[in-house]
Amino acid sequence: MSHPEPPILRWLSSGIRVGTASRYLLSLGVVAAATLCGLLVRPFLDPKNIAMVYLLAVVLSATTWGLGPSIFS
């Protein structure tokens, strides 16, 4: 029995059919967005919690675009 795909991943992967190079650029964009989020919440959160934002970016990259882009991120 397979598990249903989470809605956010379905949304990300449904409209994006990209080549290999684009996957790496999108992965870089996710990390850049995580950096921006980290800078915005920096006055309110401990650095350990901000690191979880980066971990979320890597997991999102891995589940959406695969192993190579996730290692890159």
Side-chain angles (χ1 to χ4, degrees):
M1 180 179 204
S2 66
H3 297 285
E5 188 176 20
I8 186 72
L9 295 180
R10 193 174 330 119
W11 177 77
L12 282 172
S13 64
S14 66
I16 301 174
R17 299 286 179 228
V18 295
T20 304
S22 296
R23 291 178 184 199
Y24 286 90
L25 290 175
L26 287 168
S27 179
L28 183 64
V30 170
V31 172
T35 300
L36 181 62
C37 290
L39 288 173
L40 291 174
V41 298
R42 187 176 178 195
F44 309 107
L45 293 177
D46 190 45
K48 292 179 229 173
N49 295 326
I50 296 173
M52 295 297 117
V53 175
Y54 284 105
L55 183 58
L56 177 63
V58 172
V59 169
L60 181 66
S61 178
T63 57
T64 307
W65 298 298
L67 178 64
S70 69
I71 292 172
F72 178 70
S73 64

